[in-house]
C-alpha cells in the first residue's frame, strides 16, 4: 500500500473525529484517495529573513484591457520586483458576496481575474498563498443546490437547525440571525446555519463526505501551486450543542489532519490560521508547536501598534512583545498591520483596558471610520473591529500628512523587526487613504479599505503624490535592507529592550549564525536621544559612536553592533 505511514496517521485523526458508521465511511474515503499518491505533490523552500507576504485581491489593480491577475503581475514586477516573495491572493474564485468570501466554486478562477494560467504565470515569480474558505460556501454553490434537493452524498453537506441543538452559547462576529431559511424546487424549507451572512452557509464537517470534499480541495490548491494555505474563519468549523462552537477539539483535530497531510505530501507548505479572537485562543492553533498550524495571524499586533502611536508610549506594546517566544523550527507568527478586514479589538481583551479600547473607537470614528460589532453569549453586542485605512487610523489630531506618512513607515519598521514573518496589505504599501465613498455607496464598512486602484494612475501617483511616494519609498527601502540581515530569520530569537517609553526597541538574533540586529522605533512626534552600542545604523548608513543614537520624530533605526558588521 502506498503512503502506508501517512494513511495510518490520517486514520488516527479520523478516529478522534468520528465513531461508528461515520468513522468507517471516513476511513474508506480517505484510504482509497491517499493510495493514489505515489510521490509528493509538491515541495516548497523553507522560510527565511527574505520572506515577505503581500496581501492583495487578484483584481486590486485594474486597467481597461487585461484581467486583474495580469495587471497585478505587471504592476508588482514594476513596483516591488523580488522585494516581495509571497503573494496572498484573497479569494480568487467565483463568488456571490462579501468580496470573494462567499465562494460559488472552489476550483474555478473568477473570469474577471483571469484563468489558472494567469495563476501559473504569477507563480513563476512569487510563491502564492491561496485562501481556503473552508467554513462556509455561497448559497449559489452547486453543493448547496444539491443539498436543498437532497441529492445522494449531499444530504448532510450543510448544518441544519435542530430542536435538540442548544445554540445559546454560540459566539460569532455578526449580529444577523444565526439561521436563515431556504426553499428547494419542491417548496420544502431548510433552516441552515449561517455564521456570517444569509449568503454564506456553513459546511457541515460532522459529515465525513464534507470533510473529504474540503480536504481534496486543499490538496488541489497545493497541486496547483499554493505554497501557503490561509484557513479562513477556521475556528468555527465544528458545531456541538451547548458550546460556543468555536475552537472545539474537533476543529483542532481537523487542522492537525491537514497539517499531517501537507507535511507528508507537500513539505514546507505553510498552513496559516486566521482566528480574530483573544490571544490565548489564537495561539492555541500552534498545538504542540509542530502538529497544527505553521503560522498564526498575530491579531493583537495591529491594535497595539495603533494604541502605542496614539498615546506615544511603548509600555503596553513592549509588555506584550516580551511574551513572544520562538515556537518551533517549523512554526512562527504571521505579523501584519492591515488587511482586507478591520482592526480587531477582541484580540486585545485583557491587554488593553476598556477605556483604552473606547479611546481607539472614538479616534477611528473621528477620523472618518466605522465600527463593527459582534454578538455575545446570551445576547448583547460588543465592538468586534475598527474599519479604517491603517494610515488614517494612525493620525492624531493636528498631524500633517507628512508626519502620518512617517508614522506608517515607522509602524512597518516595527512589523519588519518583530519575531515572525511580515505581511503587508497592498493599500499600506502604496500609501492609499480610506475609501469613504465606497463604504457609503455599498453600506459595507469593510469596503473602506478595499478600494480597487487604477494601475496606470497609481504608477503616476507614486511619482507625484507626496504621501503615496514617501510611504512607498520608505517601506520598500526597509524591505531592501531587511532581506540581507539574517538576524530577522522568522525562527530566530527576540528580546525586548527597556530603553524609554518613547521608543519601542528589540534585539533580534539568529542563533545559527550569531548575527544580531537592534531595532529602535520612536513612537513620538519629537526627537529622542537614546543610549545605543557603537555600530552601523543600516537605514541611514552611518556609524554610531559615543553610544548615543538620535531618532527624529517617528524615526527608525536598525543597528548592527560593532563586531557583528561583517
Amino acid at each position: 500500500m502506498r503512503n502506508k505511514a501517512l494513511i495510518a496517521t490520517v486514520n488516527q485523526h479520523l478516529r478522534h473525529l468520528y465513531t461508528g458508521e461515520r468513522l468507517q465511511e471516513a476511513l474508506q474515503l480517505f484510504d482509497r484517495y491517499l493510495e493514489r499518491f505515489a510521490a509528493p505533490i509538491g515541495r516548497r523552500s523553507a522560510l527565511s529573513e527574505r520572506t515577505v507576504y503581500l496581501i492583495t485581491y487578484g483584481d486590486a489593480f485594474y486597467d481597461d484591457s487585461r484581467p486583474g491577475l495580469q495587471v497585478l503581475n505587471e504592476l508588482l514586477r514594476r513596483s516591488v520586483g523580488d522585494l516581495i516573495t509571497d503573494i496572498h491572493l484573497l479569494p480568487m474564485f467565483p463568488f456571490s458576496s462579501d468580496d470573494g468570501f462567499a465562494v460559488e466554486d472552489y476550483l474555478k478562477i473568477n473570469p474577471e481575474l483571469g484563468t489558472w494560467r494567469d495563476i501559473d504565470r504569477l507563480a513563476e515569480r512569487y510563491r502564492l498563498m491561496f485562501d481556503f474558505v473552508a467554513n462556509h460556501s455561497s448559497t449559489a454553490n452547486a453543493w448547496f443546490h444539491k443539498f436543498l434537493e437532497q441529492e445522494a452524498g449531499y444530504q448532510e453537506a450543510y448544518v441544519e437547525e435542530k430542536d435538540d441543538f442548544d445554540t445559546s452559547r454560540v459566539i460569532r462576529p455578526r449580529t444577523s440571525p444565526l439561521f436563515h431559511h431556504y426553499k428547494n424546487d419542491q417548496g420544502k424549507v431548510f433552516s441552515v446555519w449561517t455564521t456570517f451572512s444569509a449568503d454564506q452557509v456553513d459546511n457541515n464537517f460532522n459529515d465525513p463526505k464534507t470533510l473529504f470534499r474540503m480536504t481534496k480541495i486543499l490538496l488541489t490548491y497545493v497541486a496547483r501551486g499554493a505554497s501557503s494555505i490561509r484557513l479562513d474563519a477556521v475556528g468555527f468549523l465544528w458545531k456541538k450543542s451547548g458550546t460556543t462552537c468555536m475552537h472545539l477539539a474537533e476543529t483542532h483535530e481537523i487542522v492537525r489532519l491537514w497539517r499531517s497531510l501537507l507535511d507528508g505530501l507537500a513539505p514546507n507548505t505553510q498552513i496559516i490560521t486566521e482566528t480574530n479572537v483573544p490571544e490565548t485562543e489564537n495561539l492555541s492553533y500552534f498545538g504542540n508547536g509542530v502538529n497544527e498550524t505553521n503560522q498564526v495571524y498575530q491579531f493583537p499586533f495591529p491594535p497595539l501598534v495603533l494604541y502605542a502611536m496614539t498615546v506615544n508610549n511603548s509600555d503596553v506594546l513592549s509588555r506584550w512583545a516580551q511574551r513572544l517566544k520562538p515556537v518551533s523550527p517549523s512554526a512562527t507568527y504571521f505579523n501584519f498591520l492591515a488587511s482586507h478586514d478591520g482592526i480587531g479589538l477582541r484580540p486585545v481583551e485583557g491587554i488593553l483596558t476598556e477605556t483604552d479600547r473606547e479611546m481607539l473607537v472614538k479616534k477611528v470614528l473621528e477620523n472618518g471610520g466605522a465600527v463593527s460589532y459582534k454578538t455575545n453569549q446570551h445576547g448583547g453586542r460588543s465592538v468586534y473591529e475598527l474599519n479604517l485605512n491603517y494610515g488614517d487610523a494612525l493620525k492624531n489630531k493636528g498631524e500633517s500628512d507628512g508626519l502620518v506618512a512617517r508614522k506608517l513607515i515607522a509602524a512597518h519598521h516595527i512589523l519588519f523587526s518583530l519575531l515572525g514573518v511580515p505581511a503587508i496589505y497592498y493599500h499600506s504599501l502604496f500609501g492609499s487613504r480610506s475609501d469613504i465613498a465606497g463604504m457609503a455607496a455599498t453600506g459595507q464598512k469593510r469596503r473602506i479599505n478595499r478600494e480597487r486602484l487604477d494601475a496606470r494612475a497609481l504608477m503616476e501617483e507614486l511619482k507625484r503624490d507626496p504621501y503615496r511616494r514617501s510611504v512607498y519609498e520608505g517601506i520598500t527601502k526597509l524591505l531592501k535592507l531587511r532581506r540581507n540581515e539574517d538576524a530577522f530569520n522568522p525562527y530566530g530569537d527576540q528580546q525586548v529592550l527597556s530603553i524609554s517609553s518613547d521608543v519601542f526597541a528589540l534585539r533580534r538574533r539568529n542563533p545559527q549564525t550569531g548575527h544580531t540586529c537592534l531595532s529602535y522605533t520612536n513612537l513620538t512626534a519629537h526627537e529622542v536621544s537614546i543610549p545605543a552600542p557603537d555600530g552601523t545604523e543600516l537605514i541611514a548608513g552611518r556609524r554610531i559612536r559615543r553610544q548615543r543614537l538620535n531618532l527624529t520624530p517617528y524615526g527608525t533605526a536598525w543597528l548592527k553592533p560593532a563586531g557583528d558588521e561583517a
Side-chain angles (χ1 to χ4, degrees):
M1 179 185 292
R2 298 169 180 168
N3 294 317
K4 184 176 181 180
L6 179 59
I7 290 173
T9 299
V10 169
N11 287 348
Q12 283 299 107
H13 292 303
L14 296 175
R15 289 187 178 96
H16 285 97
L17 291 170
Y18 305 111
T19 59
E21 292 183 1
R22 288 182 182 271
L23 173 61
Q24 293 308 310
E25 181 181 24
L27 293 173
Q28 186 178 61
L29 288 169
F30 278 86
D31 287 1
R32 287 179 178 176
Y33 182 66
L34 292 176
E35 285 175 1
R36 304 176 184 178
F37 292 95
I41 59 177
R43 185 178 294 276
R44 316 302 183 202
S45 58
L47 305 183
S48 74
E49 60 277 359
R50 302 175 73 89
T51 305
V52 179
Y53 286 79
L54 180 72
I55 305 169
T56 182
Y57 287 96
D59 62 348
F61 311 97
Y62 68 91
D63 63 27
D64 295 330
S65 59
R66 291 176 295 168
L69 288 167
Q70 295 178 20
V71 178
L72 173 65
N73 200 351
E74 172 66 15
L75 183 136
L76 294 180
R77 184 188 66 79
R78 295 175 60 191
S79 61
V80 296
D82 61 358
L83 295 180
I84 298 293
T85 59
D86 292 61
I87 306 296
H88 171 200
L89 288 169
L90 290 158
M92 55 200 187
F93 313 106
F95 68 95
S96 54
S97 64
D98 197 20
D99 290 333
F101 287 91
V103 179
E104 294 183 5
D105 190 319
Y106 287 97
L107 297 178
K108 290 184 179 179
I109 301 300
N110 183 347
E112 295 182 5
L113 305 186
T115 66
W116 277 109
R117 180 59 185 139
D118 294 313
I119 296 292
D120 295 340
R121 292 191 183 101
L122 193 60
E124 291 172 2
R125 181 182 295 270
Y126 302 104
R127 303 194 313 179
L128 303 181
M129 176 156 77
F130 291 3
D131 241 304
F132 186 24
V133 189
N135 179 71
H136 51 269
S137 58
S138 167
T139 56
N141 192 299
W143 295 352
F144 188 59
H145 290 282
K146 291 180 179 181
F147 162 77
L148 291 179
E149 300 306 322
Q150 290 292 279
E151 292 187 19
Y154 293 87
Q155 296 97 326
E156 296 182 282
Y158 295 88
V159 183
E160 288 190 73
E161 184 175 12
K162 296 180 179 178
D163 292 338
D164 61 351
F165 194 104
D166 177 10
T167 62
S168 63
R169 297 183 60 206
V170 168
I171 297 176
R172 63 196 187 96
R174 296 292 186 273
T175 56
S176 56
L178 178 60
F179 292 94
H180 284 86
H181 298 92
Y182 308 89
K183 186 181 298 185
N184 69 8
D185 291 342
Q186 289 72 46
K188 182 179 178 180
V189 176
F190 294 81
S191 182
V192 180
W193 193 299
T194 52
T195 294
F196 293 97
S197 77
D199 189 41
Q200 294 164 294
V201 281
D202 282 42
N203 298 311
N204 182 17
F205 283 88
N206 297 64
D207 170 30
K209 289 184 284 293
T210 297
L211 174 63
F212 179 62
R213 277 193 292 268
M214 300 308 289
T215 301
K216 286 199 300 181
I217 288 171
L218 172 72
L219 295 179
T220 300
Y221 286 172
V222 176
R224 295 304 307 249
S227 295
S228 301
I229 301 291
R230 175 183 179 269
L231 300 182
D232 176 69
V234 66
F236 302 95
L237 289 189
W238 198 273
K239 279 67 172 173
K240 181 181 290 185
S241 179
T243 73
T244 63
C245 295
M246 286 190 69
H247 319 307
L248 299 185
E250 291 85 353
T251 295
H252 283 277
E253 195 66 44
I254 291 172
V255 176
R256 289 193 283 270
L257 164 64
W258 288 341
R259 173 70 183 267
S260 293
L261 282 168
L262 293 187
D263 281 353
L265 297 174
N268 287 329
T269 300
Q270 300 290 298
I271 291 180
I272 304 177
T273 49
E274 185 263 346
T275 49
N276 190 355
V277 293
E279 187 174 32
T280 301
E281 299 171 38
N282 188 35
L283 298 182
S284 70
Y285 285 89
F286 279 132
N288 65 12
V290 297
N291 68 342
E292 290 195 38
T293 188
N294 300 94
Q295 297 179 53
V296 162
Y297 266 71
Q298 194 69 282
F299 278 104
F301 184 61
L304 288 179
V305 172
L306 173 61
Y307 175 79
M309 289 197 163
T310 297
V311 300
N312 305 119
N313 186 292
S314 66
D315 292 348
V316 175
L317 179 62
S318 294
R319 284 197 298 270
W320 170 78
Q322 285 174 346
R323 304 205 300 259
L324 301 182
K325 306 297 181 185
V327 181
S328 78
S330 64
T332 191
Y333 308 96
F334 186 86
N335 301 321
F336 72 107
L337 288 168
S339 74
H340 58 292
D341 292 337
I343 303 167
L345 287 192
R346 283 205 72 204
V348 290
E349 292 175 4
I351 302 175
L352 293 180
T353 67
E354 184 64 29
T355 300
D356 292 334
R357 296 197 296 272
E358 288 175 358
M359 177 191 65
L360 294 182
V361 169
K362 181 180 179 182
K363 178 184 180 181
V364 164
L365 292 174
E366 289 176 346
N367 288 358
V371 177
S372 297
Y373 295 87
K374 72 176 184 72
T375 299
N376 299 320
Q377 291 186 44
H378 309 298
R381 69 175 192 170
S382 59
V383 174
Y384 179 69
E385 67 179 19
L386 310 176
N387 302 107
L388 192 64
N389 172 278
Y390 201 80
D392 290 338
L394 288 173
K395 184 175 182 177
N396 287 343
K397 187 174 294 185
E399 290 182 332
S400 67
D401 281 354
L403 203 58
V404 174
R406 292 177 64 87
K407 292 180 79 170
L408 188 56
I409 295 166
H412 282 80
H413 179 260
I414 299 174
L415 170 68
F416 299 156
S417 302
L418 198 70
L419 175 63
V421 179
I424 314 169
Y425 191 46
Y426 73 103
H427 279 309
S428 296
L429 175 63
F430 294 113
S432 298
R433 311 306 289 262
S434 297
D435 184 15
I436 304 291
M439 178 178 66
T442 62
Q444 298 178 18
K445 296 174 183 178
R446 286 178 169 176
R447 281 290 178 90
I448 199 169
N449 202 27
R450 294 181 177 183
E451 182 181 10
R452 297 177 67 230
L453 301 175
D454 184 315
R456 295 179 183 178
L458 174 63
M459 295 306 296
E460 289 300 313
E461 289 170 8
L462 289 177
K463 301 174 185 176
R464 296 186 173 89
D465 182 288
Y467 182 82
R468 276 202 194 276
R469 185 179 68 249
S470 59
V471 170
Y472 164 74
E473 291 179 351
I475 290 177
T476 53
K477 180 178 181 179
L478 293 177
L479 290 175
K480 290 175 184 177
L481 294 170
R482 184 187 189 276
R483 67 204 308 263
N484 296 317
E485 302 301 322
D486 70 12
F488 294 120
N489 187 281
Y491 305 108
D493 294 334
Q494 172 176 290
Q495 178 186 359
V496 176
L497 305 177
S498 299
I499 295 176
S500 164
S501 294
D502 292 338
V503 176
F504 179 71
L506 295 172
R507 175 184 284 113
R508 290 297 311 280
R509 179 178 176 273
N510 186 323
Q512 303 300 319
T513 64
H515 293 162
T516 298
C517 188
L518 306 178
S519 173
Y520 305 98
T521 311
N522 183 359
L523 300 177
T524 75
H526 59 264
E527 186 170 312
V528 175
S529 179
I530 59 173
D534 290 350
T536 299
E537 200 288 297
L538 301 175
I539 298 173
R542 70 184 191 273
R543 289 283 299 170
I544 302 298
R545 292 186 175 88
R546 300 179 182 177
Q547 297 187 331
R548 298 301 297 181
L549 177 65
N550 295 323
L551 296 172
T552 58
Y554 300 112
T556 60
W558 278 330
L559 178 62
K560 295 191 72 171
D564 193 26
E565 299 164 299

